[in-house]
Amino acid sequence: MKKISDWRLLSTEQISSRIFYVIVALSAVLFVLFWLIGYDMPYEEDPEYNAPLLTGVLVSFMIVLTIAAVALMTWGLIRSVRKNSDANRVVNNVPARRISLCVAGGFAAVMLLCFLLSDTTPLTINGERYADTFWLRTAGMFVGASLVMMVAAAAAVGFGATRYIRKK
């Protein structure tokens, strides 16, 4: 009988789905608490604006998730490079190394293109003007790359869903 505490007996899919559910549950709880607890608190310097009580907690949670994602991405990239060395260029007639390099190169190209094509028009937010082109491009890069990656993911899911149709 498998014990839940023995992670070695769980498949990768089971582990990742459990981690996903934990992150989704934590996110949902934090966002609900953000909206329900102290959301209408006025900002001390300008009472026309709100300063929600749990903003710091929410921002910290997002920073932790971002750092964890970057750390896992780096670990996965290093592991993939080591695993797909010269001996493992083709695994079960699948060009594993070429696919890894294309995915990494495509991701870097999307990030670079989104950075270069981002708008640098100054923004006025809460009465302050933001005109630093680097940070405007960086913010635009993340928004644009996220949208491109979501469209690519949806296209991949759609393509994968037609697998059985293509096999016939």
Side-chain angles (χ1 to χ4, degrees):
M1 174 137 180
K2 286 196 292 188
K3 293 181 182 177
I4 293 178
S5 63
D6 195 359
W7 290 93
R8 292 171 292 182
L9 297 176
L10 296 174
S11 71
T12 304
E13 182 180 355
Q14 290 171 325
I15 293 171
S16 65
S17 67
R18 287 181 184 181
I19 291 171
F20 173 72
Y21 292 138
V22 167
I23 291 172
V24 168
L26 279 173
S27 299
V29 167
L30 278 176
F31 278 102
V32 167
L33 291 175
F34 177 78
W35 287 104
L36 295 179
I37 299 176
Y39 180 75
D40 295 332
M41 289 182 56
Y43 184 54
E44 289 178 11
E45 294 180 22
D46 190 352
E48 291 183 21
Y49 299 110
N50 283 348
L53 183 65
L54 297 178
T55 302
V57 173
L58 197 59
V59 169
S60 299
F61 180 66
M62 293 299 126
I63 289 171
V64 167
L65 284 181
T66 302
I67 290 171
V70 169
L72 284 171
M73 178 195 69
T74 305
W75 174 73
L77 183 64
I78 291 170
R79 186 171 176 256
S80 176
V81 167
R82 286 183 182 167
K83 187 176 182 180
N84 293 329
S85 62
D86 291 335
N88 292 328
R89 284 183 188 262
V90 178
V91 179
N92 295 330
N93 291 326
V94 175
R97 185 176 182 121
R98 185 182 307 161
I99 291 172
S100 295
L101 291 175
C102 287
V103 168
F107 177 75
V110 165
M111 294 293 277
L112 181 64
L113 281 173
C114 287
F115 182 81
L116 294 175
L117 298 174
S118 291
D119 189 18
T120 58
T121 306
L123 298 173
T124 302
I125 301 172
N126 291 339
E128 283 190 48
R129 188 164 189 242
Y130 293 95
D132 188 348
T133 57
F134 174 76
W135 289 113
L136 288 169
R137 283 188 187 272
T138 302
M141 172 189 69
F142 285 119
V143 170
S146 297
L147 293 173
V148 168
M149 294 297 170
M150 283 191 277
V151 168
V157 167
F159 182 74
T162 64
R163 175 179 175 221
Y164 298 110
I165 296 170
R166 287 180 280 132
K167 280 193 170 188
K168 291 179 182 177

